[in-house]
Amino acid sequence: MTQSRRMLVLRAVVEDYIRSQEPIGSSALTKTHDLGVSSATVRNDMAALEDEGYLIQPHTSAGRIPTEKGYRYFVDRLATVMPLSTAQRNGIATFLSGSVSLQDTLQRAARLLAQITGQIAVVASPALSKATLRHVEIVPVGMTMLLAVVITDTGRVAQHTLAVRTMPATDDLSRFCDAVNRECSAQSFTTAAERVRALADIPQWRETAAVAEALAGAFEGMADDDRASELYMAGASKLAHQRTAADLAPLFDALEEQVVLMRLMSNLSEEADHDGVGVAIGSETHTPGLLHASVVTSGYGQSPQRTDGGDPTADRADHADSDGESDIVTTRGGGTPVAFVGSIGPTHMDYAATIAAVRAVARYLTVSLAQGGDPDDG
């Protein structure tokens, strides 16, 4: 019973410190929380929590503040994360629905998340290796050169030049392109490469065999491309008003190391447990510049490792919960997320609010991709 009450005291300290950012004393705690015991008992509990590494006393005779271990205990036991208000959800939908492209959607999502949380927002665009083929057009651009314009299910557009010794007839090229789109639409690029090579073996497509080989090679290159094309960030200026220059220098250095940041947030989103949201606190980030920061991230969309015949919406279910919120439920069975959205802030961030905001923005991005990468398509 004492241990149970002690952890209630810890939760109360974390909640009050997040709100005030001032060391919390036992007297103040008993006034703001109904803990059912005296101030002296709470003081003893706080001393025990300090001995156990959950709290620290920054100054003699001052109150206590949570340690990284204290925040971790608090985050792990967030039983429920309150959904965003109706106004906030409508604001997200309205703001993102005005997007004109995938890039615009992701940039808007970063700005919006930074605005909601008051922290740094990071949104990665999907890697080609996790996308599926939506459509391809092949057009001659020279005597022996073709341009393949590839559109993915996530809305990305990639261009590849295809060199051939002799240019096929226009009609043959057009029919071949139609066949590729019929055979390969909604397939991963690995599968698309295999199917294009299989087409080249059919006598009907003998005249376009060289084009097929070049296109298959381009698809294989896309299948191996694990890089996110861009990382969208927003909110650094807001955080600058809350932190000292000494605190910000290592943080901004960490933000410059985009490869490290992307690996951290991508791994965290794939290991998420808070209803699809992952949290790393301080040293858990394994990034020196983030030792005094926390990272909250969630994956969005879904990779093409499916067993459903290639339907990009088969693993997604929409339903309205009791408060009318449309939840986008992405099942784990269909594969890993195609990219991530996250928030970086101080260890004393409002974890419940940040988790709710990251989760909501990730879900709206998932909807956007399910509609073909362009919000206006749906």
Side-chain angles (χ1 to χ4, degrees):
M1 186 66 174
T2 301
Q3 180 69 15
S4 176
R5 185 191 66 238
R6 191 177 298 164
M7 291 309 169
L8 289 177
V9 169
L10 173 61
R11 181 180 182 122
V13 171
V14 175
E15 288 175 349
D16 285 7
Y17 185 68
I18 286 172
R19 187 164 48 247
S20 70
Q21 292 165 43
E22 296 287 340
I24 308 299
S26 56
S27 298
L29 214 58
T30 52
K31 288 177 183 175
T32 55
H33 296 270
D34 183 15
L35 297 170
V37 291
S38 68
S39 176
T41 301
V42 171
R43 188 157 49 249
N44 290 336
D45 285 341
M46 291 175 74
L49 288 166
E50 184 176 359
D51 291 340
E52 294 168 2
Y54 292 102
L55 300 177
I56 191 172
Q57 195 169 22
H59 307 291
T60 307
S61 73
R64 290 173 173 84
I65 65 175
T67 63
E68 190 178 292
K69 181 179 178 181
Y71 285 123
R72 171 47 62 192
Y73 182 91
F74 174 79
V75 169
D76 286 346
R77 283 154 185 80
L78 275 175
T80 57
V81 176
M82 291 298 292
L84 297 185
S85 68
T86 301
Q88 287 174 315
R89 293 198 304 270
N90 290 342
I92 292 174
T94 300
F95 193 70
L96 296 186
S97 66
S99 303
V100 296
S101 65
L102 174 66
Q103 289 74 18
D104 187 29
T105 298
L106 301 183
Q107 183 63 70
R108 283 168 175 255
R111 292 203 308 268
L112 184 62
L113 183 59
Q115 181 181 337
I116 294 172
T117 63
Q119 298 164 175
I120 294 172
V122 182
V123 182
S125 62
L128 286 170
S129 61
K130 294 182 178 180
T132 62
L133 177 66
R134 184 178 177 189
H135 188 78
V136 61
E137 283 292 334
I138 305 173
V139 293
V141 291
M143 295 296 290
T144 59
M145 192 71 67
L146 296 142
L147 179 68
V149 181
V150 183
I151 304 173
T152 74
D153 65 326
T154 60
R156 277 188 64 176
V157 178
Q159 297 184 357
H160 293 270
T161 54
L162 311 177
V164 293
R165 290 190 175 183
T166 56
M167 185 66 65
T170 302
D171 287 348
D172 289 341
L173 186 61
S174 178
R175 284 195 295 272
F176 173 72
C177 195
D178 289 343
V180 170
N181 282 313
R182 280 196 307 273
E183 289 292 319
C184 303
S185 180
Q187 301 302 315
S188 70
F189 286 105
T190 298
T191 301
E194 293 170 355
R195 293 192 177 186
V196 168
R197 283 204 171 94
L199 282 176
D201 290 335
I202 300 174
Q204 177 185 356
W205 306 114
R206 185 179 297 111
E207 298 300 319
T208 52
V211 178
E213 181 57 36
L215 182 61
F219 284 164
E220 286 173 339
M222 295 175 72
D224 290 335
D225 189 347
D226 282 325
R227 299 164 300 164
S229 61
E230 290 179 274
L231 204 59
Y232 300 88
M233 289 192 193
S237 59
K238 284 190 175 184
L239 201 64
H241 293 302
Q242 306 170 25
R243 307 291 290 273
T244 65
D247 287 339
L248 287 173
L251 175 58
F252 286 141
D253 285 345
L255 296 178
E256 286 295 316
E257 294 291 333
Q258 293 199 358
V259 173
V260 175
L261 192 62
M262 288 175 63
R263 187 182 302 119
L264 163 66
M265 301 188 83
S266 181
N267 291 342
L268 194 58
S269 67
E270 292 179 14
E271 297 165 2
D273 52 9
H274 278 288
D275 195 14
V277 179
V279 181
I281 303 167
S283 65
E284 296 172 355
T285 65
H286 304 293
T287 306
L290 300 177
L291 282 178
H292 302 291
S294 289
V295 177
V296 177
T297 186
S298 176
Y300 68 85
Q302 194 149 41
S303 67
Q305 284 75 36
R306 305 186 183 99
T307 56
D308 52 43
D311 180 358
T313 62
D315 291 321
R316 186 176 61 85
D318 296 345
H319 69 275
D321 59 21
S322 57
D323 67 356
E325 178 176 11
S326 178
D327 279 340
I328 309 306
V329 182
T330 307
T331 62
R332 297 276 168 182
T336 56
V338 298
F340 61 80
V341 53
S343 182
I344 302 173
T347 52
H348 60 257
M349 70 164 63
D350 186 336
Y351 288 95
T354 302
I355 289 171
V358 167
R359 184 179 63 184
V361 171
R363 287 175 171 177
Y364 277 101
L365 289 177
T366 298
V367 172
S368 175
L369 295 194
Q371 294 172 346
D374 184 346
D376 293 333
D377 280 356

